[in-house]
Amino acid sequence: MKTIISSPHVPRVNRVDRIMLDVLLALVPGMLAMTWFFGWGLLINLVLAVTFAVVAEAAVMLARGRSPLIAIGDLSAVVTAVLFAISVPPMLPWWLTLLGMVFAIVLVKQLYGGMGYNPFNPAMAAYVFLLISYPIAMTTWLAPGMLAEHSFTFMESLRLILDGTLPAGLDWDAISSATPLDEMRGKLDLHLTIDEIRHSPLWGYVGGRGWEWIAFWFLAGGIYLLWRRTITWHIPVSMLLALAICSGIFWSLDPQTHPFPAFHLFSGAAILGAFFIATDPVTACTTRQGQLIFGAIIGITVFAIRTWGGYPDAVAFAVLLMNIAAPTIDYYTQPRVFGHGREHR
Amino acid sequence: MAALHSFIPQPPSNALPRLWTFHGGIHVPDEKSLSNAQAIEPAPLPARLVIPLQQHIGAPARVLVQVGDRVLKGQMIAEPSGFISAPVHASSSGRIIAIEPHPIPHPSGLSALCAVIETDGEDVWAELPPPLTDYPQRYPHDIRERIRWAGVVGMGGASFPTSVKLDPGADRPIHTLIINGVECEPYITCDDRLMRERAGHILAGVRIMHHLLGVERVLIGIEDNKPEAIARMRLALAETDLHACTQVVPIPTLYPSGGEKQLIRILTGREVPSGGLPAQLGIVCQNIGTAAAVADAVLEGRPLISRIVTVTGRAIAAPRNLEVRIGTPVSELIAHCGGYLEPPHKLICGGPMMGFALTHLETPITKPTNCVLALTEAESPDPGPALACIRCGRCAEVCPAKLLPQQLYWHARAKDLDRVQDYNLFDCIECGCCAQVCPSHIPLVQYYRYAKTEVWAREQEKRKSEQARARHAARQARLERQEQEKQARLRKQKEAVKSPQ
Ligand code: SF4
Ligand code: SF4
């Protein structure tokens, strides 16, 4: 007979790697949409980021004298890499991806003790680190497919990412384009009205053309995660609701200087952040009530930074900010334990 | 206390009470069909019975026999040594060949003092006390004494002496008796079979408890995955005079609905206060098997010397429900069920959710042992190495005690004994729901058990050191007093010497 193994003696129903795999699966539609609108760049970044992240993770585990297989097998480094690749511009130079992944895996994740111990979301910490250090590269987006002057072939994308060479006859000004949030913010600062701003081929039904579809497919992935019970509704719903309510209030006060709520929801990283980033269990709140607060403050912060702050999008900042607050919120939102205090009858 | 009685005026008894829910819980494959079609049959008389001298919570029993003594079936071989204590009886006739430590069914794999009986195969009864069929005319005290004499303890696992539970004291009126026929652990079918086959006997026991406690209503909770047991109990109930105040209540199948606190919550909506007893709410909870044992004791004058045990699991050739003499080694039962189909991956005492691994095949069946489970590797695969907690909160979602198992784990791992208590470690019922859903496969319950023992050990240390301090202080005081007395004596002597001058 074997050594004493503690109860329960039934098969376990969940596995960390399955959860991570589910998250990756849920990201696929959104990533396909991004590839459709922005070309091969995302996929190249994806391969690079995953490779760098896995190698970095393995190296640290080896240095700590542990088996790298278990750490890589939980797929958390892959999820970090994929979220990073989705968040950065599609033609980001490869060495920034390398820098970002080393920062995320070695500093943010492993130096704090590895999986489960990191207070900050590694992908978002790396994103913010690069955004502050290399603001130009991190904000140079392409125009979505139907608006672009040039559609990059795979080899052209690869060259651009690996050694920064643009195809002959093109320069950055010609191919780059502001993101919808940039565009909106920039034009509002020039005192144009929303109607005037939206009178441009850049805009689709609610947000930027192309962009809104990407957000839609991430939303579909998020709903899949809810259906699979991989995540619960608390964080995404409270975050999006808070964002919608804040923007709704200002929009109803003055619809010409404040974009309507749907624009906020379907622009930038709101949907992606709500379902895939803020829900990272390691760095989010763990009590249900805490999660509602956590999500809501992220939503409010996103709105505030987008409206008055120095950056057009703010999901990464808001998430990192709330990562710090999560343990405290958890502490003050413990559920009433069975048999304690007043019964709710 | 006023609010407590507000719901007592009951609707007519055929209206089922409103059911409540508790937080969390999980659905686990119940696996009861392996054994629930097998009628209860007697297990064979083993050549040796190993009878632990303490099978209850409370003070250990005092041995009454010596090695070499001949004992009869039903003869008391150890007597209770305090109010919260229970006697132990020989479960067949034979000779005491040893009184020595032996492995007993216990999570820690402990050994404890057991009387080993070499049976003579004759199975002769000792002289038994007369049946108390006229118990309603007798003093409650006498009935309780009979139950106490019979060594009846909680058969659902807690093994608390039943006579004590049936004596809540005059200042604590009991209005509701809850009979636990939930049997929510997977695999186990002994209570199911008992209800199907001996419903009348169970109800006879319920009637005695009803009489002793003077309750206004009796609720018999049975999970709805046991429709036949529910039907039998209802049929039998209709034939007794209990039906006016008693209801058989089917409850939804959800683990751990059979936990005492959970069942009380489901049937009454009340929560047993943390660290408190159901009696504080005017409720007493008893198991189906206990009710049958009470009937045996009072109506037939028979002590508790056997119980129903489910022997099951996919490694067992022919799973069965057996009526087993207390003290029968597990190995005998497995052999009686056709042995193993394949070497079991785990041999467990109790259910798969809360049971513990048996380390020794000669471990005897005791009063609270309801199941022997031989699981194949496919049924109970090793969960693999534990990963770090990812704080996903799945554990908290299923915890019926509404704890935050992830925080408990965190602090238990750090051996922060104050913090684990802040997070209410002692409200954990060790149901195992959290560990079952944990994606990191952390053996959470193991950490909680460990932390509990650490806290107990520390408290004992504290008590000891307090006692030592008290002893030290007392000694200091004594020395000082002696010193003063000596001084006083010296002074007196001196004065005595001086005074004649
Ligand atoms: S279920 Fe496991 S991994 Fe998830 S929070 Fe609980 S202990 Fe941590
Ligand atoms: S074992 Fe304890 S902590 Fe885990 S679910 Fe059960 S009561 Fe909650």
Side-chain angles (χ1 to χ4, degrees):
Chain A
M1 207 84 6
K2 317 210 32 169
T3 49
I4 299 178
I5 299 165
S6 170
S7 57
H9 308 280
V10 292
R12 305 296 189 262
V13 289
N14 296 310
R15 278 170 56 169
V16 173
D17 53 355
R18 298 251 173 86
I19 292 175
M20 296 294 167
L21 205 60
D22 240 8
V23 171
L24 292 174
L25 212 63
L27 285 167
V28 168
M31 291 197 289
L32 287 180
M34 274 187 96
T35 310
W36 173 265
F37 289 112
F38 292 107
W40 294 101
L42 167 69
L43 297 185
I44 297 170
N45 279 343
L46 195 79
V47 172
L48 290 175
V50 170
T51 313
F52 295 149
V54 168
V55 170
E57 181 110 321
V60 177
M61 290 321 272
L62 284 175
R64 290 171 68 185
R66 305 228 194 121
S67 155
L69 284 182
I70 293 180
I72 296 170
D74 70 23
L75 295 182
S76 60
V78 177
V79 170
T80 297
V82 170
L83 288 174
F84 177 84
I86 291 173
S87 311
V88 298
M91 294 302 169
L92 193 73
W94 67 272
W95 56 273
L96 280 181
T97 302
L98 174 63
L99 203 61
M101 286 297 88
V102 170
F103 183 82
I105 301 294
V106 179
L107 261 73
V108 182
K109 185 176 175 188
Q110 293 293 352
L111 273 194
Y112 279 103
M115 175 67 158
Y117 296 92
N118 47 303
F120 295 106
N121 182 311
M124 288 304 102
Y127 176 86
V128 164
F129 162 66
L130 292 183
L131 183 63
I132 292 171
S133 316
Y134 304 90
I136 308 282
M138 286 294 284
T139 49
T140 308
W141 277 84
L142 301 181
M146 61 290 233
L147 299 169
E149 290 183 16
H150 177 82
S151 92
F152 283 80
T153 66
F154 178 75
M155 287 314 288
E156 283 171 352
S157 310
L158 199 60
R159 281 195 69 188
L160 185 52
I161 289 171
L162 291 185
D163 72 354
T165 332
L166 283 167
L170 285 178
D171 57 25
W172 277 109
D173 280 348
I175 57 166
S176 66
S177 155
T179 66
L181 282 170
D182 274 327
E183 175 77 9
M184 180 62 82
R185 188 64 194 278
K187 296 272 166 69
L188 280 174
D189 287 350
L190 296 174
H191 302 293
L192 296 179
T193 65
I194 300 271
D195 283 345
E196 287 164 345
I197 298 171
R198 282 182 55 81
H199 199 75
S200 143
L202 244 62
W203 299 98
Y205 300 98
V206 289
R209 256 171 96 184
W211 293 89
E212 58 191 13
W213 283 107
I214 295 172
F216 172 83
W217 286 110
F218 280 131
L219 176 64
I223 290 171
Y224 165 80
L225 288 185
L226 285 176
W227 172 69
R228 294 273 297 161
R229 293 167 181 254
T230 301
I231 58 172
T232 61
W233 59 269
H234 304 78
I235 292 177
V237 167
S238 63
M239 170 176 160
L240 295 178
L241 206 62
L243 181 58
I245 291 175
C246 288
S247 52
I249 292 173
F250 282 86
W251 172 68
S252 60
L253 292 178
D254 186 356
Q256 283 312 322
T257 57
H258 290 281
F260 46 99
F263 169 82
H264 274 285
L265 296 183
F266 281 86
S267 298
I271 299 273
L272 179 73
F275 288 96
F276 294 92
I277 295 169
T279 51
D280 165 25
V282 175
T283 56
C285 279
T286 171
T287 66
R288 292 293 172 242
Q289 219 191 331
Q291 289 176 342
L292 292 175
I293 298 172
F294 179 86
I297 302 184
I298 291 180
I300 296 169
T301 314
V302 166
F303 176 75
I305 300 183
R306 279 181 180 181
T307 311
W308 303 292
Y311 288 89
D313 199 3
V315 172
F317 288 106
V319 168
L320 291 182
L321 193 74
M322 291 312 290
N323 287 166
I324 306 175
T328 313
I329 299 178
D330 275 343
Y331 186 80
Y332 287 105
T333 53
Q334 293 173 45
R336 183 190 65 87
V337 173
F338 188 98
H340 283 256
R342 268 188 44 154
E343 295 176 35
H344 300 297
R345 295 195 55 195
Chain B
M1 285 305 263
L4 199 139
H5 294 282
S6 59
F7 65 92
I8 289 174
Q10 278 299 297
S13 66
N14 27 6
L16 286 178
R18 168 184 168 183
L19 293 187
W20 302 73
T21 55
F22 60 91
H23 178 263
I26 54 175
H27 291 281
V28 258
D30 75 11
E31 307 286 0
K32 305 221 186 229
S33 62
L34 282 178
S35 58
N36 67 5
Q38 305 296 320
I40 298 170
E41 46 180 308
L45 175 64
R48 275 167 163 220
L49 290 162
V50 179
I51 303 182
L53 295 174
Q54 178 167 18
Q55 303 178 34
H56 54 268
I57 291 176
R62 241 189 321 265
V63 197
L64 297 173
V65 289
Q66 282 176 346
V67 175
D69 283 1
R70 183 177 150 72
V71 291
L72 295 175
K73 182 179 184 178
Q75 179 182 334
M76 194 182 284
I77 56 175
E79 64 178 2
S81 65
F83 178 58
I84 302 183
S85 186
V88 176
H89 301 77
S91 42
S92 185
S93 58
R95 210 166 48 87
I96 305 277
I97 56 169
I99 296 176
E100 61 188 14
H102 214 277
I104 55 159
H106 192 273
S108 61
L110 273 179
S111 286
L113 205 59
C114 296
V116 183
I117 301 175
E118 189 178 56
T119 57
D120 56 16
E122 286 165 26
D123 215 19
V124 207
W125 279 99
E127 198 185 323
L128 295 177
L132 302 179
T133 28
D134 57 345
Y135 68 86
Q137 278 82 54
R138 294 184 178 256
Y139 289 115
H141 175 79
D142 294 345
I143 308 170
R144 276 195 284 267
E145 267 311 305
R146 168 60 62 85
I147 295 170
R148 178 173 157 89
W149 164 83
V152 182
V153 300
M155 312 261 292
S159 64
F160 191 81
T162 303
S163 57
V164 181
K165 229 171 159 184
L166 292 175
D167 189 10
D171 52 338
R172 201 169 256 177
I174 302 295
H175 49 73
T176 303
L177 170 62
I178 288 180
I179 301 295
N180 190 340
V182 177
E183 204 166 50
C184 61
E185 274 260 16
Y187 290 93
I188 308 179
T189 55
C190 58
D191 285 353
D192 184 9
R193 288 312 310 189
L194 196 62
M195 289 188 282
R196 291 197 209 183
E197 297 176 35
R198 302 178 194 172
H201 196 57
I202 294 169
L203 289 173
V206 172
R207 192 162 172 268
I208 297 165
M209 299 200 271
H210 171 264
H211 171 74
L212 279 177
L213 292 167
V215 292
E216 292 149 43
R217 63 168 181 172
V218 182
L219 300 172
I220 304 177
I222 306 174
E223 255 184 4
D224 58 12
N225 62 355
K226 290 180 267 292
E228 197 172 324
I230 295 170
R232 292 290 164 125
M233 291 292 286
R234 282 192 168 149
L235 271 179
L237 181 62
E239 286 169 12
T240 68
D241 55 1
L242 275 175
H243 66 265
C245 64
T246 304
Q247 287 171 303
V248 174
V249 190
I251 62 169
T253 299
L254 177 70
Y255 179 83
S257 296
E260 186 173 81
K261 292 177 175 183
Q262 280 65 41
L263 183 59
I264 289 172
R265 164 85 194 162
I266 293 168
L267 292 177
T268 68
R270 306 297 316 273
E271 287 184 11
V272 179
S274 170
L277 290 172
Q280 284 167 254
L281 304 177
I283 297 169
V284 164
C285 198
Q286 297 281 5
N287 169 267
I288 290 286
T290 313
V294 165
D296 281 344
V298 176
L299 302 178
E300 289 165 26
R302 276 214 323 255
L304 173 50
I305 55 167
S306 68
R307 66 155 300 139
I308 318 295
V309 179
T310 305
V311 183
T312 184
R314 290 199 162 72
I316 294 281
R320 284 186 180 153
N321 297 294
L322 300 174
E323 178 144 25
V324 181
R325 286 180 178 77
I326 304 301
T328 307
V330 165
S331 58
E332 296 270 342
L333 301 184
I334 292 170
H336 184 65
C337 292
Y340 295 134
L341 288 180
E342 60 177 276
H345 184 59
K346 279 185 187 169
L347 186 62
I348 287 158
C349 172
M353 292 304 294
M354 291 180 73
F356 46 87
L358 283 171
T359 46
H360 206 292
L361 265 180
E362 297 311 302
T363 308
I365 297 298
T366 59
K367 293 172 186 175
T369 312
N370 49 11
C371 185
V372 172
L373 200 54
L375 298 173
T376 63
E377 179 146 24
E379 284 175 292
S380 181
D382 289 338
L387 304 179
C389 168
I390 58 169
R391 297 166 44 81
C392 65
R394 282 172 172 74
C395 48
E397 214 162 312
V398 298
C399 176
K402 264 179 132 181
L403 298 168
L404 292 173
Q406 68 273 49
Q407 308 290 45
L408 276 179
Y409 161 66
W410 186 269
H411 297 302
R413 217 173 89 109
K415 304 214 165 65
D416 188 341
L417 297 184
D418 294 320
R419 277 291 238 206
V420 281
Q421 291 180 81
D422 285 353
Y423 278 97
N424 301 303
L425 174 68
F426 284 94
D427 287 300
C428 167
I429 58 169
E430 299 180 18
C431 63
C433 291
C434 52
Q436 204 253 357
V437 299
C438 174
S440 292
H441 300 173
I442 303 169
L444 293 165
V445 181
Q446 198 168 312
Y447 279 97
Y448 307 150
R449 288 209 181 112
Y450 179 76
K452 284 183 189 175
T453 19
E454 288 286 288
V455 173
W456 285 323
R458 186 178 72 169
E459 270 167 15
Q460 216 151 37
E461 273 303 303
K462 219 170 30 194
R463 257 202 303 278
K464 258 193 223 148
S465 65
E466 264 160 23
Q467 279 166 2
R469 226 192 339 265
R471 266 200 307 275
H472 180 73
R475 180 163 174 270
Q476 282 311 95
R478 196 181 67 230
L479 291 181
E480 249 165 59
R481 203 174 52 237
Q482 286 172 351
E483 184 60 29
Q484 279 167 6
E485 283 167 7
K486 205 163 98 190
Q487 297 291 347
R489 254 198 325 273
L490 279 178
R491 259 200 314 277
K492 254 192 216 149
Q493 278 173 4
K494 273 188 202 154
E495 278 160 19
V497 174
K498 273 186 212 154
S499 58
Q501 287 184 345

